[in-house]
Amino acid sequence: MADTQRVRTRFAPSPTGYMHIGNLRTALYTYLIAKKNGGDFILRIEDTDQERYVEGAVDVIYNTLRQTGLNWDEGPDIGGPVGPYVQSERMGMFKEYALKLVESGHAYYCFCDKERLDGLKKNEDGTTAIAMYDRHCRNLSKEEVQAKLDAGIPYVIRQKMPLDGTTTFHDEVYGDITVENATLDDQILIKTDGMPTYNFANVVDDHTMGITHVVRGNEYLSSAPKYNLLYQAFGWEVPVYVHCCPVMKDQTAKLSKRNGDASFEDLLAKGYLTEAVINYIALLGWAPKGEQEIYSLEELAEEFDISGISKSPAIFDPVKLKAINAEYIRKMTPEQFCEYITPYIKKYVKRDDIDYKVLASVLQPRTELYTDIEELIDFIDVLPEYDNALYCHKKMKTNEETSIEALNAILPVLEALDEWNVESIHTALFDLIAKLEVKNGWLLWPLRTAVSGKPVTAGGGVELCAILGKEEAIARIKKGIAQLS
């Protein structure tokens, strides 16, 4: 048994194929509670529902947690003092615990067959009844039970709920919640095949692993009284409950992979940074005490407090996530950003003579998502067809006539340059602006239009010329003059 004085939390996912946002948030909060308190974060794989098991899904869990920095202290792959950490490998002990409850009078054998149980779900007129077991086998005598066991009649083991009074449990988010015991079903603990139900296995596993804090979705609030009664029946200490609100797509619909909503892997494929996703997920239903919103994982572990978790559903806001992602991009060094952005540049730019550092430097302040850059750089390989109306810009006070005048002034200045870089081009053009006594935009907007053929680009005319190279930039300026003539 683990030391229960030390904070121990667990993330216990089922291997069903991918890591959805709500699941990852549960893992994150579970991790943060452990680390905030200098405790242990345990990974337990709950794989007993074989119908939903997906091949390779355990690797998805491992990879996602590692990628996000949620490194576990004990788990299936690294072991620990309370293993095994895969639920299907723990099957031998659950029936023994259930039989202890039978002996103490907190559980009983139920021999009702499927036909009888199905009949309980229908009223006399054929309508659906409340699906609650009628406790038919609850008061069988020891002799009757033994006779049925000797006859080999299949059975389940059910929890014997109190018939009167109330059960109160405390949740850190929702406070004290009291339920009437008469509303609690005598739930099955051990199925006819000898396997435990999810609810029973969870309680036994959490206790035997020394779990002190249980974080889960608020859909499990209704099961908490049953969990408490099991803890009390065994004489075990009840863990701290932290039930979290759902993550919603909007006011009425939960996030769902089936409805096309993004999983963690999907968000990465869309160009989001791992650190930004984790930062944003932390804020889905949790409010820090100050105004700060950008946190590293280490800072979250210091700042996180259960009291900041909200009861209200959290709405997944892609705009907010994008803004946080942009903040992370701005915080990168130019070298880091260039390294990250290079694969995306190569996807859209096939020329091999492009200076990635210069291109990255103009992309960084304009990028919220890496996938945004296509429309900012897709003119580099080939100048797109464009209309002369693009030269007309009210704010820059340009039109077709002023634009051809500007390009004709620019051409010989740039042709005369020996050095071709951002600094030399900038100096030459701004000297020209001073000489002509014109506004910056009057000269630079026509240049940007001529070399890109687009209203929105990465960088202005100076940077674009440097990126394209002298030969290509001059050729595009000449084409612009010809097109305007």
Side-chain angles (χ1 to χ4, degrees):
M1 185 67 61
D3 177 7
T4 54
Q5 300 308 306
R6 181 179 174 87
V7 169
R8 290 173 61 82
T9 67
R10 52 77 170 167
F11 177 52
S14 298
T16 56
Y18 69 98
M19 185 74 79
H20 63 74
I21 297 303
N23 218 17
L24 184 54
R25 186 190 62 173
T26 299
L28 176 60
Y29 287 3
T30 304
Y31 172 88
L32 293 176
I33 290 169
K35 297 307 154 189
K36 173 73 180 279
N37 294 284
D40 300 316
F41 173 58
I42 291 111
L43 175 62
R44 183 172 80 222
I45 302 295
E46 299 197 336
D47 63 342
T48 51
D49 188 348
Q50 288 300 310
E51 287 182 13
R52 295 178 65 226
Y53 180 84
V54 174
E55 195 67 39
V58 173
D59 288 331
V60 171
I61 294 166
Y62 287 160
N63 294 338
T64 301
L65 294 180
R66 285 199 185 99
Q67 188 166 359
T68 53
L70 306 183
N71 298 311
W72 50 100
D73 300 297
E74 300 168 27
D77 57 334
I78 58 175
V82 292
Y85 293 87
V86 177
Q87 201 169 59
S88 60
E89 297 172 13
R90 300 172 65 82
M91 287 298 108
M93 66 180 184
F94 295 110
K95 190 168 182 180
E96 292 175 28
Y97 279 101
L99 291 175
K100 287 180 183 177
L101 293 180
V102 172
E103 290 170 20
S104 66
H106 293 98
Y108 61 94
Y109 291 97
C110 172
F111 300 93
C112 295
D113 58 25
K114 185 176 185 299
E115 185 179 353
R116 182 176 188 282
L117 294 173
D118 287 344
L120 296 176
K121 299 174 185 176
K122 298 286 183 183
N123 293 315
E124 289 183 9
D125 61 0
T127 56
T128 302
I130 297 173
M132 191 163 165
Y133 180 58
D134 64 355
R135 302 185 167 102
H136 177 73
C137 294
R138 179 172 169 130
N139 296 312
L140 292 176
S141 67
K142 283 188 177 180
E143 293 75 21
E144 288 174 301
V145 169
Q146 193 58 51
K148 291 179 182 293
L149 290 174
D150 291 343
I153 298 173
Y155 64 86
V156 299
I157 296 178
R158 290 182 181 271
Q159 185 177 358
K160 187 181 282 188
M161 297 296 181
L163 299 179
D164 50 26
T166 60
T167 294
T168 299
F169 69 94
H170 180 75
D171 178 77
E172 293 296 305
V173 178
Y174 292 86
D176 287 337
I177 297 176
T178 300
V179 298
E180 297 289 331
N181 290 330
T183 65
L184 301 177
D185 195 4
D186 283 6
Q187 67 174 347
I188 295 173
L189 304 179
I190 300 293
K191 296 178 282 189
T192 52
D193 60 2
M195 299 289 267
T197 56
Y198 172 82
N199 284 341
F200 185 55
N202 247 349
V203 168
V204 174
D205 279 343
D206 284 345
H207 172 72
T208 54
M209 288 184 167
I211 302 303
T212 61
H213 292 66
V214 172
V215 182
R216 56 185 171 223
N218 68 358
E219 66 269 25
Y220 290 102
L221 276 171
S222 59
S223 299
K226 301 173 187 178
Y227 294 149
N228 264 33
L229 289 167
L230 282 173
Y231 279 105
Q232 290 167 17
F234 281 118
W236 296 341
E237 188 174 343
V238 178
V240 175
Y241 293 135
V242 182
H243 288 86
C244 300
C245 60
V247 179
M248 308 289 284
K249 182 175 187 173
D250 51 41
Q251 294 294 342
T252 56
K254 282 187 180 181
L255 279 182
S256 166
K257 179 76 171 176
R258 260 173 291 175
N259 296 334
D261 298 321
S263 68
F264 172 71
E265 292 166 300
D266 294 333
L267 291 176
L268 296 191
K270 288 180 179 180
Y272 289 98
L273 287 162
T274 299
E275 298 88 339
V277 174
I278 284 294
N279 191 152
Y280 177 65
I281 288 176
L283 302 174
L284 278 175
W286 171 73
K289 289 187 173 129
E291 298 299 311
Q292 183 179 341
E293 283 192 322
I294 305 300
Y295 292 94
S296 67
L297 188 59
E298 292 74 21
E299 288 170 333
L300 282 171
E302 288 179 22
E303 184 73 19
F304 191 78
D305 195 298
I306 294 171
S307 64
I309 298 176
S310 172
K311 297 179 190 174
S312 304
I315 307 295
F316 186 86
D317 182 0
V319 175
K320 179 78 169 176
L321 173 57
K322 204 171 185 182
I324 288 178
N325 200 69
E327 288 284 338
Y328 274 83
I329 287 174
R330 306 287 176 272
K331 287 171 67 178
M332 286 182 174
T333 64
E335 293 75 21
Q336 286 174 326
F337 181 74
C338 187
E339 184 180 342
Y340 271 105
I341 204 71
T342 293
Y344 291 90
I345 295 174
K346 287 182 174 178
K347 188 175 178 181
Y348 304 118
V349 177
K350 302 308 177 186
R351 286 177 56 181
D352 57 8
D353 59 341
I354 297 297
D355 188 330
Y356 287 165
K357 287 184 180 177
V358 176
L359 184 50
S361 71
V362 297
L363 284 171
Q364 188 167 4
R366 296 168 177 84
T367 304
E368 290 184 313
L369 271 180
Y370 295 137
T371 46
D372 289 344
I373 73 164
E374 180 180 7
E375 63 177 348
L376 298 175
I377 64 174
D378 61 2
F379 64 90
I380 291 176
D381 282 354
V382 180
L383 180 68
E385 295 293 328
Y386 64 94
D387 193 282
N388 285 353
L390 191 56
Y391 284 101
C392 304
H393 197 299
K394 186 182 278 189
K395 187 179 176 184
M396 304 295 183
K397 296 184 170 55
T398 61
N399 55 42
E400 291 183 45
E401 290 74 24
T402 64
S403 294
I404 194 168
E405 186 181 344
L407 293 179
N408 276 317
I410 290 168
L411 184 59
V413 170
L414 294 186
E415 283 180 323
L417 284 180
D418 293 324
E419 276 192 67
W420 192 264
N421 54 47
V422 171
E423 293 76 17
S424 62
I425 297 167
H426 183 277
T427 300
L429 291 179
F430 276 80
D431 285 348
L432 180 60
I433 287 168
K435 179 182 173 184
L436 297 175
E437 296 182 341
V438 293
K439 298 281 189 184
N440 295 355
W442 185 92
L443 191 82
L444 297 179
W445 180 258
L447 175 62
R448 175 170 162 169
T449 301
V451 297
S452 72
K454 300 191 68 169
V456 178
T457 58
V462 171
E463 294 94 346
L464 298 186
C465 285
I467 290 163
L468 289 167
K470 184 173 182 178
E471 185 180 339
E472 181 67 17
I474 296 295
R476 292 187 182 194
I477 292 167
K478 287 180 177 177
K479 184 175 181 180
I481 292 169
Q483 186 167 316
L484 285 165
S485 297

